[in-house]
Amino acid sequence: MAYTEAEARELILSAVCRLVGAGLVARTWGNVSARISEEQFLITPSGLGYDIMTPEDLVLVNISDLSYEGTRKPSSEKGIHADAYRLRPDVNFVIHTHQDKASIYGIRGWDLSGLNSEVLGKRVPCAAYGLSSTEHRRRAVADAVSSNPSSSAVLMRNHGALCLGRDCETAFAAAEELEQACTERVGEVLDEELNMYTQQRALWPMPDYGRSQRVGHRFKLKHGTVTRIYDLKDLPDNLRGPAAVHAAIYLRTSARYIMHVRSEAATAMSVIGKTVYPYLDDLAQIAGPDIRCARLCDDSQLPAAIVRALSGRNAALLEDCGGFCTGKTADDVTAASLLLEKGCEAVLYAKLLGDCRPLNSADARLQRLVYQAKYSRKKEA
């Protein structure tokens, strides 16, 4: 049974908060909707943070032609939600996530089979790859939904997942059970590989390059237990170490925040020392079409090497030392760090499987350009 419009507005807001709290979505990655009649559904708007979203911000969309009411634009994935309601009369709530392990499992393009779940059923299909917000992706997901009428979730190859429910609770349960099942499958393959690199890296200490924030021509660097402020117009001639790295990045990029990332998978990939080619489109969009690895070199040359690796990107690796992420806001740099870790896990998973390939380089570049032109500018506005 469809919700009343008032019920749907409150439930969607409650659901996005629960999803963020459960670690199933971050920022505005993903979208949530609720059916209010046979002809219409409410959905989260495009590009608006969940932390500031109100019930009035949700957008009323017509299932038949995707026309909508109000001044806000609905999520760009509104067509996928409309198809779910059109093809599945039993579905009244839809959650689209970029949850970590389900996204990683989906890079292979295989269905998640062998399940025995009251919520998920016996298998979760994997929809074929398509560029974000395109008709090709929409058709692929619709095919998976229509071909699997008893499944309450669909993996979206190289992207994320779609979870369906007769109500909010069952859709949320599907998202949680899907992540748990994929964590078990991915973990079986990934844990041993990560442990190997963790043990290898533990043989020598990793330097901490800290994190910083720029305001005007000054930046504040927290390195270990020490916090210092530096003036980009009056830097010491003998500046070395973390301060030199951060200063170089600020002087040659538009970054306002910098973070040295020492998480497990990013560190493992830095030990391997090769360029990361994204398997997940959100990494390509927000961090870059590829993530270069700067080589360790003389202390005086290191800042320039890291700046070169970051050129046109918001993340880079440093040989044996994790990675660096940049952004114009604290939220941006946190997002880049989360995606770098998830993206590196996907690369390690693919490396062990040996039978899947990263995104086509042209697709990765296109998605980066579209994100920068559309979503980044929308945030700045």
Side-chain angles (χ1 to χ4, degrees):
M1 180 178 177
Y3 292 104
T4 67
E5 185 173 336
E7 287 174 335
R9 290 185 185 277
E10 293 300 328
L11 277 173
I12 291 173
L13 264 292
S14 174
V16 296
C17 292
R18 287 176 65 188
L19 289 165
V20 171
L24 295 171
V25 299
R27 303 180 88 208
T28 59
W29 307 337
N31 27 76
V32 178
S33 70
R35 186 199 295 268
I36 64 167
S37 72
E38 292 304 307
E39 294 80 30
Q40 291 183 310
F41 64 96
L42 277 167
I43 192 169
T44 47
S46 177
L48 185 66
Y50 294 146
D51 57 334
I52 60 173
M53 194 177 294
T54 68
E56 292 71 30
D57 291 319
L58 303 178
V59 187
L60 196 60
V61 180
N62 292 311
I63 294 173
S64 60
D65 61 3
L66 303 185
S67 59
Y68 60 93
E69 300 176 13
T71 57
R72 290 202 179 276
K73 289 185 178 181
S75 164
S76 60
E77 301 286 14
K78 59 188 178 295
I80 289 175
H81 290 252
D83 289 338
Y85 295 124
R86 177 175 55 84
L87 294 167
R88 293 281 299 273
D90 60 310
V91 168
N92 295 307
F93 208 88
V94 177
I95 298 171
H96 165 42
T97 71
H98 291 207
Q99 56 199 74
D100 287 2
K101 297 304 186 291
S103 299
I104 293 170
Y105 183 87
I107 67 174
R108 199 176 194 179
W110 284 21
D111 296 348
L112 181 65
S113 57
L115 300 173
N116 187 22
S117 167
E118 291 184 6
V119 175
L120 294 175
K122 294 184 178 180
R123 66 191 277 273
V124 173
C126 186
Y129 170 72
L131 283 170
S132 293
S133 306
T134 62
E135 283 300 310
H136 182 71
R137 172 178 287 172
R138 181 182 172 184
R139 287 193 298 271
V141 177
D143 287 345
V145 170
S146 61
S147 301
N148 298 271
S150 63
S151 179
S152 60
V154 173
L155 295 167
M156 302 164 71
R157 188 172 189 179
N158 304 107
H159 184 70
L162 192 73
C163 299
L164 317 174
R166 64 180 180 274
D167 53 29
C168 176
E169 290 302 321
T170 52
F172 194 91
E176 288 190 311
E177 286 205 19
L178 178 63
E179 189 68 0
Q180 181 178 351
C182 290
T183 297
E184 292 171 0
R185 303 288 177 92
V186 171
E188 291 174 2
V189 177
L190 195 57
D191 286 350
E192 186 174 344
E193 183 82 353
L194 283 171
N195 287 338
M196 179 182 72
Y197 288 109
T198 300
Q199 291 170 8
Q200 182 178 341
R201 189 62 192 81
L203 296 175
W204 65 97
M206 183 192 300
D208 175 13
Y209 287 90
R211 58 188 302 159
S212 65
Q213 174 185 356
R214 176 178 179 173
V215 178
H217 56 85
R218 294 182 174 85
F219 69 93
K220 180 170 67 174
L221 170 64
K222 183 177 182 181
H223 169 235
T225 59
V226 177
T227 299
R228 290 190 60 183
I229 295 176
Y230 295 87
D231 189 334
L232 292 167
K233 294 184 177 181
D234 188 24
L235 294 171
D237 293 335
N238 62 344
L239 192 66
R240 293 288 186 271
V245 170
H246 287 249
I249 295 172
Y250 285 130
L251 287 169
R252 300 177 197 179
T253 75
S254 60
R256 290 294 179 268
Y257 289 80
I258 301 169
M259 178 190 299
H260 179 211
V261 178
R262 301 193 293 171
S263 51
E264 195 173 30
T267 297
M269 287 305 304
S270 75
V271 171
I272 294 172
K274 295 182 178 180
T275 297
V276 170
Y277 295 98
Y279 284 79
L280 296 170
D281 52 13
D282 51 10
L283 178 65
Q285 291 165 357
I286 295 175
D290 55 52
I291 310 300
R292 301 163 177 162
C293 187
R295 300 297 178 188
L296 279 175
C297 53
D298 179 84
D299 195 42
S300 63
Q301 299 176 336
L302 186 61
I306 294 173
V307 168
R308 285 194 298 271
L310 281 168
S311 177
R313 290 147 180 81
N314 290 97
L317 299 174
L318 175 60
E319 185 180 16
D320 292 334
C321 294
F324 285 85
C325 291
T326 68
K328 292 184 178 179
T329 68
D331 189 43
D332 287 341
V333 77
T334 299
S337 68
L338 292 172
L339 290 173
L340 179 62
E341 181 68 3
K342 182 173 73 168
C344 287
E345 284 189 356
V347 174
L348 290 166
Y349 182 63
K351 175 177 176 288
L352 292 166
L353 295 176
D355 60 356
C356 51
R357 300 177 65 82
L359 297 176
N360 176 282
S361 60
D363 282 359
R365 291 194 298 272
L366 176 61
Q367 294 200 68
R368 172 70 168 173
L369 288 171
V370 169
Y371 176 81
Q372 289 181 307
K374 187 175 181 181
Y375 295 101
S376 290
R377 289 179 185 174
K378 183 185 298 184
K379 285 177 58 185
E380 290 171 5

